[in-house]
Amino acid sequence: RTLEALSCEDSFIPVYASASNKIYPFQIAAADFALRSPYQKGVVLCDEAGLGKSHEAMLVITQKWLEGRRRILLAVPNAGLLCQWTAMMEELYSTPYIVLSTHTQWDALATEDEPNPFLRDAVVITTYEFAAANENEAGAVPWDLAVFEEANALSTVYQEGNQQAKALKRVAGGAFKLLLTGTPIEKNIMDLYGLIWFIDETVLPDDREFLARYLRRPERYPELSELVRPYCFRTLRIQAADYAKVPRRVLLTYEYAPSPQEQMLYDLLYAYVNQPVKLAFPEMDPYDLALRLLGLQGSSTAAILQTIRGVIRRLEQIPNAAGEVAQWREMERAALEVKREAKATELLYALKLGFAAMKKRGEARKAVIFTESVETQNMLLPLLEGAYRTALYRGGTDYSAIQTFKGGGEVLLTTDNGARGFNLEEAAFVIHYDLPYNTLKLEQRIDRCHRLGQENDVLSLAFINRDNLSDVRKLELASKRTLVSGGVFGLTDSVLGGFTNDLNAGFRDAESRLRPRAQVEADYQETLIRNEEENRRAVSAAEDVLFTTFSRELAQRVNLSPQYISHKAEELNEALWQLVKTFFLRYNETNTDCVFVIDEEAKTVTATEYETLPVLFYYWTGSRNRPYRSQKRYGMGGGFKPRAGQITFSSIIGQGVLHEIECANAGTLTVEGTIEPCRIGLYTVTLTGGSARREIPVLRGVTDSVRALSEDECRAVLALPVLDCAEDGSRSPHWLKGRSAPHELDKLVPVGALLEQEAEKLSPAQAEEMERMKLRCNGHKAALARKLDGLEVQVRALEAERESVTGDRLKRLSLEKEATRLRRELMKGRESQFFDAMRLDVELEEQIQKFAEQEKLTAKVIREFMIAVTGGN
């Protein structure tokens, strides 16, 4: 059974090194979706934020690593997220990685033997900026997998301007591209277009046609959803709530009143916006100018004051602008009259109310405050620091503010740079001091705290001034953009609600809906019991994927929540430990340069009595074999240090043991109990077809009375307690075994059934690939038609222009000649279009036929061993 589990190379093996980490069915489904087809060029994993896309990506990364596809690039948009990823990998995973994001790291990793640091025997974690800046070196690596965190930053790759995104697409090259984003539609529907274009520019119509068909066309969102379905996988919180702890989100929107001094400044700004002549903004649309200026004032007086002073300096350089300078000087004086802003005062009171309520519920006093403006941050910081342990984050490479807040901090004051990717589940109080125009930014802000791992219900408080034109417009956009995202992907939660102009009453209502932490847990357990049967079906489906579709190989402490199958992880870890012991005991038997001491209780292996640590084996790096030198100490525990010595299925030592472990070609086995003597063989059936390759272990047996034994019967015999065993013949690892002399038992291997089953699994992926071929062909045809349609439009325009000319015969003649020329070109094009379309159809048919021939499955059968089994007492 253990050998069956560990011999399947083409398997999906999620590897966790911490008992606290859990795999959820929807995360398995996401990884299954990403790896379902050997033909697709990539996918977008776009779960609602907080549902663990990084862990889904690690399932895919681990799978590729275990398949021997070791050229893996992981790119993140900033250094803060880089730190978060490395912390997660260091704590929870044993897949080797390096960080390459600075020239200092470059110099440390570059060697004479390999001057390109991107070519390493590890997952290469870098930033967008560094990978794009070093495109030649990064692009020289034939990546197997390229993962892009917060991939919404790549959505304008199809446009002329985003040179960084274009460079990253070139760097990824032919790799499978895994894009992670909780906001696949951030501004409009073209964001989604760009993400799929980044993966494969051939599968969608051109951007103009896509824009015309889907932008602001909600009636076509179901059609669009079907179109992008093969490329996008999204789980909503509501879908996960029956088996994962997803706390409530309670919304409170406070309509505050500005002070008289703030209202006076607003009135001056509003009057300026509406005056007919504005020397400071001569070209700007009044509505856009209103949103800009009134939005800044809505953020803070400090934010608008900086703009006022900048305008004054600019006007002083313009002749005859003294009158307008005087207007802006009046605004400056009005701004200086604002000594304490009403919203800032209400913020301090809201924190007092919120922290008092959190104390009652047994929560940590922690709040995250988002602002739009750095100047607003500068104004708030001294007010907050006087009352709370406050950390300030503005983005950039300094991650210490986030770490300080996650530790002993009480308030994190941040711009929207803190809303992307960070895990802030330590806090359950989110405050939108300013509203952004982009609704999905609100969602991203809340999702920093409202995510898996959050133990408390989350309170989201937004401030709004209903008398400010900018704030009113933001409310309108919130409704419209929610409609777009919901129409294509679906949304679980609102981002604004609970409107009130009485902060005390608003908090009383919110507090009545926020549960104590113990109640959150109790309700979750009740939900598990209530949905137990449905959960069992969901987990069973996930189990089928986890243990059958991909493999039964699991590593350290894998838990599927609800934890119905965690015992299988323990069973497989124990099997791995037995193989590790066997490997090192055999090393001690055959070598004298080192003695490995095995501690069964602690599950550690320690090197002793050596001058130099020995080379244990050679391993494949993706481009060559490299010697692996032993560590001083190895261990099975999730918290074992150093991390490089941790034994898991994905670590180099674990992979090496599985690769090098040897068994004899034949042997005898005496088991406890009365059984009919039999022979049992373990076979590896390698199925290959074009891009697909899979190894399937098969057990088959036959009794002395010539009764065939099924897979399950063979397992049952091998599971009996062993009384005695002996090997016969030379030992060799799986990868060195060749074809043995034929045996009657070989005929029982169900090669035909396995080929049929594998073909059935591949059929949907192959059909999908053929459909992509057809779409590309139709796209070429559509491009031919669009070109001719353009000529026809030109002919009609010339004819209309000719008819409008009455007195100029020469001009009419010239227009007629040009129209005649274009008509001839159009007729020739129509004739050519017919034959070009036929040619494209023939080429498509040949392409599909060639694809079908290439993908035809073949089978190769290798007998690993044959064992004679008898019963005894």
Side-chain angles (χ1 to χ4, degrees):
R1 191 173 181 181
T2 297
L3 287 169
E4 178 204 18
L6 297 178
S7 63
C8 182
E9 292 182 3
D10 185 19
S11 57
F12 183 50
I13 310 174
V15 180
Y16 287 82
S18 169
S20 62
N21 205 52
K22 299 175 183 177
I23 305 172
Y24 292 95
F26 66 86
Q27 292 172 332
I28 295 169
D32 180 18
F33 175 83
L35 294 170
R36 76 193 189 285
S37 170
Y39 315 111
Q40 193 156 328
K41 296 181 180 180
V43 297
V44 184
L45 298 185
C46 48
D47 296 349
E48 280 193 289
L51 292 181
K53 287 184 292 297
S54 56
H55 294 295
E56 294 168 0
M58 282 307 302
L59 292 176
V60 177
I61 288 171
T62 301
Q63 166 64 15
K64 293 292 186 182
W65 180 267
L66 292 169
E67 288 177 357
R69 299 175 187 178
R70 304 292 171 82
R71 299 302 181 208
I72 300 175
L73 179 72
L74 170 57
V76 300
N78 57 59
L81 284 177
L82 188 147
C83 293
Q84 188 165 284
W85 266 91
T86 54
M88 180 188 73
M89 290 188 71
E90 187 70 27
E91 180 183 355
L92 300 178
Y93 297 94
S94 57
T95 308
Y97 72 89
I98 64 161
V99 176
L100 181 59
S101 63
T102 67
H103 289 294
T104 301
Q105 291 164 341
W106 179 287
D107 293 340
L109 291 166
T111 64
E112 288 186 16
D113 183 45
E114 183 48 76
N116 184 357
F118 282 99
L119 274 167
R120 281 294 174 273
D121 307 327
V123 178
V124 178
I125 308 178
T126 188
T127 61
Y128 284 7
E129 182 181 6
F130 195 81
N134 296 278
E135 180 186 342
N136 289 340
E137 291 79 6
V141 180
W143 301 108
D144 297 308
L145 171 66
V147 182
F148 295 92
E149 171 71 287
E150 294 295 322
N152 41 287
L154 307 173
S155 63
T156 57
V157 62
Y158 64 96
Q159 299 175 359
E160 289 300 321
N162 196 336
Q163 296 305 314
Q164 183 184 84
K166 291 182 184 301
L168 292 173
K169 181 172 171 60
R170 290 191 295 269
V171 165
F176 183 88
K177 301 169 188 68
L178 187 65
L179 309 187
L180 311 178
T181 175
T183 53
I185 302 176
E186 191 168 33
K187 299 182 184 70
N188 59 51
I189 214 75
M190 296 308 292
D191 296 331
L192 179 60
Y193 178 89
L195 293 175
I196 296 177
W197 197 92
F198 187 93
I199 291 170
D200 186 350
E201 64 272 20
T202 68
V203 298
L204 294 178
D206 69 48
D207 55 311
R208 289 171 297 178
E209 183 179 339
F210 188 90
L211 180 72
R213 184 161 185 81
Y214 298 113
L215 183 64
R216 301 189 182 95
R217 302 292 295 272
E219 72 277 8
R220 288 181 174 164
Y221 289 164
E223 174 190 314
L224 176 60
S225 181
E226 186 65 21
L227 184 64
V228 303
R229 181 189 57 78
Y231 299 92
C232 301
F233 188 95
R234 182 170 175 84
T235 300
L236 306 178
R237 272 183 294 272
I238 195 170
Q239 295 171 316
D242 286 345
Y243 50 82
K245 187 191 295 185
V246 181
R248 291 176 187 167
R249 174 187 298 188
V250 176
L251 303 174
L252 177 59
T253 304
Y254 177 49
E255 303 171 39
Y256 73 94
S259 68
Q261 294 82 3
E262 290 172 291
Q263 187 62 48
M264 180 180 294
L265 175 57
Y266 178 89
D267 293 340
L268 290 171
L269 288 164
Y270 192 79
Y272 175 81
V273 166
N274 288 288
Q275 70 186 33
V277 178
K278 297 178 282 290
L279 297 177
F281 303 95
E283 303 292 333
M284 198 164 183
D285 178 79
Y287 183 74
D288 292 336
L289 180 60
L291 294 181
R292 176 180 171 184
L293 296 179
L294 301 178
L296 284 170
Q297 198 227 351
S299 177
S300 69
T301 304
I304 190 62
L305 182 58
Q306 184 187 52
T307 297
I308 290 172
R309 286 172 171 167
V311 171
I312 291 171
R313 288 193 296 271
R314 184 153 45 85
L315 284 171
E316 288 175 339
Q317 306 302 314
I318 300 175
N320 304 316
E324 195 162 310
V325 169
Q327 278 184 281
W328 285 92
R329 289 287 186 195
E330 185 180 4
M331 294 181 215
E332 181 183 29
R333 286 191 293 275
L336 292 171
E337 285 296 316
V338 179
K339 304 302 181 185
R340 171 66 74 89
E341 297 184 29
K343 185 164 61 166
T345 300
E346 300 287 14
L347 171 67
L348 293 175
Y349 188 55
L351 281 170
K352 180 180 178 181
L353 293 175
F355 280 170
M358 294 168 84
K359 184 177 181 181
K360 288 180 188 176
R361 295 193 302 275
E363 300 173 21
R365 288 178 17 138
K366 284 183 180 290
V368 184
I369 303 173
F370 289 97
T371 73
E372 286 274 275
S373 165
V374 171
E375 287 73 26
T376 302
Q377 280 189 320
N378 293 336
M379 179 273 294
L380 288 175
L381 185 61
L383 299 178
L384 294 167
E385 285 182 324
Y388 305 104
R389 295 188 296 276
T390 303
L392 177 68
Y393 182 70
R394 290 175 177 165
T397 59
D398 186 0
Y399 186 54
S400 60
I402 302 290
Q403 294 172 318
T404 297
F405 172 71
K406 288 168 75 73
E410 294 177 312
V411 173
L412 175 64
L413 181 59
T414 178
T415 61
D416 281 305
N417 286 321
R420 290 188 177 276
F422 291 113
N423 300 331
L424 302 174
E425 62 268 23
E426 294 84 359
F429 190 10
V430 180
I431 300 175
H432 311 283
Y433 191 78
D434 303 330
L435 289 183
Y437 280 105
N438 191 323
T439 307
L440 289 175
K441 282 189 177 180
L442 281 168
E443 182 67 33
Q444 287 175 325
R445 290 173 173 184
I446 300 171
D447 287 338
R448 295 312 98 217
C449 303
H450 189 214
R451 58 193 305 110
L452 290 179
Q454 175 60 260
E455 299 292 335
N456 307 291
D457 289 340
V458 174
L459 174 62
S460 172
L461 168 65
F463 287 92
I464 184 172
N465 177 2
R466 280 203 180 260
D467 294 325
N468 186 305
L469 175 66
S470 175
D471 279 8
V472 171
R473 178 57 177 156
K474 289 170 183 176
L475 281 178
E476 293 173 354
L477 289 175
S479 299
K480 290 181 180 179
R481 285 180 175 152
T482 298
L483 173 66
V484 174
S485 295
V488 181
F489 288 110
L491 290 173
T492 293
D493 298 301
S494 299
V495 292
L496 291 173
F499 289 86
T500 181
N501 58 8
D502 184 336
L503 199 57
N504 285 297
F507 263 93
R508 283 195 298 272
D509 178 65
E511 194 171 353
S512 70
R513 290 179 283 152
L514 291 165
R515 299 166 296 173
R517 183 170 182 168
Q519 189 63 46
V520 173
E521 176 63 25
D523 289 349
Y524 168 58
Q525 294 301 328
E526 183 183 336
T527 298
L528 289 182
I529 295 170
R530 186 173 63 251
N531 297 295
E532 182 173 2
E533 286 306 313
E534 185 176 342
N535 286 341
R536 283 185 184 276
R537 287 194 294 271
V539 171
S540 176
E543 182 183 358
D544 288 342
V545 171
L546 186 62
F547 292 103
T548 305
T549 303
F550 294 127
S551 87
R552 304 184 180 195
E553 299 171 86
L554 291 179
Q556 186 76 356
R557 297 184 177 91
V558 177
N559 295 310
L560 184 61
S561 182
Q563 297 176 11
Y564 300 132
I565 56 173
S566 61
H567 66 279
K568 295 193 177 183
E570 297 173 7
E571 179 183 306
L572 289 169
N573 273 323
E574 181 59 32
L576 177 60
W577 173 239
Q578 296 301 325
L579 290 173
V580 167
K581 286 196 301 181
T582 300
F583 175 85
F584 282 107
L585 287 172
R586 286 184 178 176
Y587 190 93
N588 288 343
E589 291 174 5
T590 56
N591 296 274
T592 59
D593 55 354
C594 182
V595 175
F596 289 96
V597 176
I598 297 171
D599 186 328
E600 180 69 46
E601 184 176 348
K603 291 191 174 179
T604 60
V605 179
T606 305
T608 64
E609 301 180 28
Y610 61 88
E611 293 185 6
T612 303
L613 286 167
V615 171
L616 297 179
F617 48 77
Y618 283 77
Y619 69 100
W620 181 248
T621 67
S623 61
R624 59 182 174 177
N625 279 315
R626 172 166 289 190
Y628 174 77
R629 194 168 294 279
S630 174
Q631 302 284 318
K632 293 181 180 179
R633 196 162 178 262
Y634 295 101
M636 286 287 292
F640 183 85
K641 299 296 180 184
R643 189 183 59 84
Q646 188 179 340
I647 303 168
T648 71
F649 284 100
S650 65
S651 63
I652 293 180
I653 182 61
Q655 283 283 284
V657 167
L658 295 177
H659 193 247
E660 296 293 324
I661 200 72
E662 299 175 337
C663 72
N665 296 326
T668 59
L669 189 67
T670 304
V671 296
E672 186 178 290
T674 303
I675 66 166
E676 183 180 358
C678 60
R679 289 183 178 273
I680 293 176
L682 174 67
Y683 297 84
T684 297
V685 182
T686 303
L687 304 180
T688 306
S691 306
R693 183 179 184 276
R694 188 180 178 203
E695 288 191 357
I696 302 175
V698 175
L699 284 169
R700 281 297 181 267
V702 62
T703 67
D704 284 1
S705 62
V706 200
R707 183 178 68 86
L709 297 177
S710 69
E711 180 101 9
D712 288 341
E713 288 175 312
C714 292
R715 287 187 185 184
V717 169
L718 295 178
L720 294 171
V722 176
L723 299 177
D724 190 28
C725 63
E727 293 181 343
D728 184 16
S730 61
R731 294 174 178 171
S732 60
H734 159 71
W735 60 277
L736 274 180
K737 288 185 183 294
R739 292 189 179 273
S740 306
H743 188 278
E744 285 297 309
L745 192 59
D746 301 349
K747 298 176 183 178
L748 297 179
V749 178
V751 174
L754 292 173
L755 283 169
E756 187 176 330
Q757 291 170 12
E758 190 67 13
E760 188 176 339
K761 289 179 182 178
L762 285 173
S763 288
Q766 290 172 347
E768 204 172 282
E769 178 62 16
M770 290 179 188
E771 187 61 31
R772 276 192 286 271
M773 293 177 190
K774 294 175 184 176
L775 285 173
R776 283 191 284 269
C777 177
N778 291 336
H780 292 317
K781 290 181 183 178
L784 293 174
R786 281 195 300 272
K787 182 180 178 181
L788 295 178
D789 290 343
L791 281 174
E792 191 168 346
V793 169
Q794 291 179 55
V795 169
R796 289 175 183 172
L798 285 169
E799 290 174 343
E801 187 179 355
R802 180 199 61 195
E803 292 303 317
S804 67
V805 176
T806 56
D808 191 338
R809 289 185 60 199
L810 288 176
K811 186 171 184 180
R812 281 177 63 90
L813 183 60
S814 174
L815 290 170
E816 178 59 33
K817 284 182 178 180
E818 180 63 14
T820 300
R821 185 188 68 79
L822 288 178
R823 274 194 294 269
R824 287 174 184 158
E825 186 179 341
L826 179 60
M827 290 177 64
K828 186 178 179 180
R830 293 289 185 203
E831 182 180 346
S832 175
Q833 180 190 18
F834 175 77
F835 290 106
D836 286 342
M838 286 184 61
R839 176 182 54 81
L840 287 170
D841 286 336
V842 170
E843 289 177 355
L844 173 63
E845 188 175 340
E846 291 174 349
Q847 189 180 11
I848 289 176
Q849 184 177 353
K850 184 179 179 181
F851 173 75
E853 290 172 356
Q854 288 176 338
E855 299 305 312
K856 187 176 180 180
L857 287 169
T858 60
K860 177 183 176 182
V861 180
I862 296 293
R863 190 190 320 130
E864 302 288 347
F865 64 72
M866 178 82 69
I867 189 166
V869 187
T870 57
N873 297 318

